[in-house]
Amino acid sequence: MKHKGLYAFGLIACVIVAAVLYMFGVIQGGRRADTVYFVSKTSSENSTFWHSVERGVNVAADELGLEVVFVGPEREIDLADQIAFVEEGISKEPMAIILAASDYNGLVEVSEKVVEAKITFVTIDSDVNMIEDHSFIATDNIAASKILGETLAEAIGGEGLVGIVSHLEGTTSAFDREEGFLQGIESYEGIQVIEEIPYSNNDAQTAYVKTVDLIEKYPTVKGIFGTNEATLIGIARAVDAMGLKDQVTVVGFDISDAAASYLEKGVIHTIVIQRPFNMGYLSVKEAYDQAVYKKKPEFTNVDVVLVTKENMFDEEIQKFLIPFLE
């Protein structure tokens, strides 16, 4: 009877330990089987785009019963902080780490550490220059920007001087959008492109100042392309403040209340709206499928929508302008 009692006690103890391990999401090697570590480009409250990404991440996590740690530096240019967040994620041994890389080359070493630690690795929005297989969830930035290039070219009658104000040098999203825009206008022989590309460092005020400088230096400029939300707002603010909305055609990426306001006023001609909610949602689903079902890594293109003053009040477009409708 004594042995039976010890056996029963041991069995109960094992059950308790197993339950505790399950509650804390621990699997072999101490890894958190229920945790996804998401390292964003920025945690700033001013980023409509990344807050929408976070909503998508949280919805997918809730559906899958996962815990999400959503972190990021205050500014996109704080590369050292982003690297530190990835390092922190590795130390937590989560099921997966999802990274929106603020630098194509600067995040390579720490990203390789994620793979070496056998943690599922997914990139979103901007990729990393590494040879290891990993999934990438993003807009086809070249294709979307090519459309904007063609749109701007047509809007200015196929001739004139145009410029680019970009968001963050060294990111794949910035490079691809610049390249796509140039591809979109290259067939228009009457268009000249300003060679210098100022960078806003994802700050609307910096974009404003650099746009004013650009226009003062090139007063005949007829069009400007802004590569992300903060940059586009800064450009629009400058063009509006200088009273040039009828002389300078503005196109660019990403919607927000401010951008929508400038679109309605006619300061912005066309905006490419990405689907940040979808990006966040799909990144978690992708990470889960790889970690649990051993799905093969792949690139997932998230479709975009073109928005103008004429269609901005369409019901489908309003879903992007009013976040809770996503």
Side-chain angles (χ1 to χ4, degrees):
M1 295 293 291
K2 185 176 182 180
H3 290 298
K4 288 183 178 179
L6 290 173
Y7 175 78
F9 177 79
L11 183 61
I12 292 170
C14 288
V15 171
I16 292 172
V17 170
V20 171
L21 291 177
Y22 177 80
M23 287 172 61
F24 285 92
V26 180
I27 61 174
Q28 291 182 353
R31 180 148 303 147
R32 294 290 302 275
D34 66 344
T35 303
V36 173
Y37 214 84
F38 192 107
V39 182
S40 176
K41 284 184 182 178
T42 177
S43 60
S44 172
E45 295 181 357
N46 297 321
S47 177
T48 303
F49 181 88
W50 289 107
H51 282 302
S52 187
V53 169
E54 185 175 8
R55 284 194 296 274
V57 165
N58 289 332
V59 169
D62 287 344
E63 289 180 4
L64 296 170
L66 301 175
E67 177 184 343
V68 172
V69 179
F70 194 99
V71 295
E74 177 63 25
R75 303 175 303 167
E76 288 196 21
I77 59 173
D78 295 332
L79 177 60
D81 289 347
Q82 193 176 46
I83 292 172
F85 279 122
V86 179
E87 293 274 13
E88 178 182 278
I90 295 171
S91 72
K92 303 295 185 182
E93 296 186 305
M95 178 188 77
I97 292 178
I98 302 171
L99 171 66
S102 62
D103 191 288
Y104 185 56
N105 294 307
L107 274 295
V108 172
E109 184 177 349
V110 74
S111 297
E112 289 175 341
K113 289 182 182 179
V114 177
V115 177
E116 289 168 5
K118 300 188 184 306
I119 297 170
T120 297
F121 183 61
V122 174
T123 54
I124 179 174
D125 186 61
S126 293
D127 204 3
V128 179
N129 184 20
M130 58 190 293
I131 61 174
E132 290 84 354
D133 284 343
H134 62 281
S135 285
F136 179 37
I137 314 293
T139 295
D140 185 337
N141 285 304
I142 291 180
S145 299
K146 185 176 180 180
I147 294 171
L148 280 177
E150 293 168 348
T151 299
L152 178 58
E154 290 295 326
I156 65 174
E159 59 181 25
L161 188 65
V162 301
I164 300 171
V165 181
S166 196
H167 57 285
L168 194 62
E169 190 171 11
T171 60
T172 56
S173 58
F175 177 83
D176 287 348
R177 290 172 193 177
E178 295 160 19
E179 177 62 26
F181 179 77
L182 293 174
Q183 288 182 16
I185 63 175
E186 66 182 358
S187 63
Y188 295 84
E189 297 181 357
I191 292 181
Q192 300 83 45
V193 182
I194 298 170
E195 290 188 7
E196 64 178 287
I197 298 178
Y199 289 89
S200 71
N201 292 329
N202 196 39
D203 179 73
Q205 179 60 26
T206 301
Y208 170 85
V209 171
K210 294 197 173 184
T211 300
V212 170
D213 291 343
L214 189 74
I215 294 173
E216 289 179 345
K217 188 174 181 179
Y218 301 95
T220 61
V221 65
K222 293 179 66 176
I224 302 177
F225 167 50
T227 60
N228 82 337
E229 175 191 330
T231 308
L232 180 62
I233 292 169
I235 294 169
R237 189 185 300 163
V239 170
D240 192 35
M242 299 175 80
L244 297 174
K245 76 171 188 176
D246 295 326
Q247 285 76 46
V248 180
T249 299
V250 178
V251 300
F253 269 76
D254 298 334
I255 199 69
S256 65
D257 288 344
S261 176
Y262 283 121
L263 188 69
E264 187 174 6
K265 289 170 63 177
V267 178
I268 296 176
H269 182 278
T270 304
I271 299 176
V272 158
I273 297 183
Q274 300 183 86
R275 299 176 188 262
F277 178 93
N278 292 18
M279 277 192 201
Y281 182 89
L282 291 172
S283 70
V284 174
K285 290 281 192 177
E286 181 70 17
Y288 182 83
D289 287 346
Q290 285 186 42
V292 176
Y293 300 113
K294 309 306 177 187
K295 180 178 179 291
K296 184 178 179 181
E298 62 182 4
F299 168 67
T300 300
N301 175 33
V302 182
D303 292 338
V304 298
V305 177
L306 277 182
V307 183
T308 65
K309 183 178 180 179
E310 286 69 35
N311 71 354
M312 67 180 293
F313 292 107
D314 291 354
E315 182 178 353
E316 186 62 26
I317 301 300
Q318 286 294 301
K319 292 180 181 179
F320 298 96
L321 302 182
I322 305 174
F324 64 78
L325 290 179
E326 294 180 304

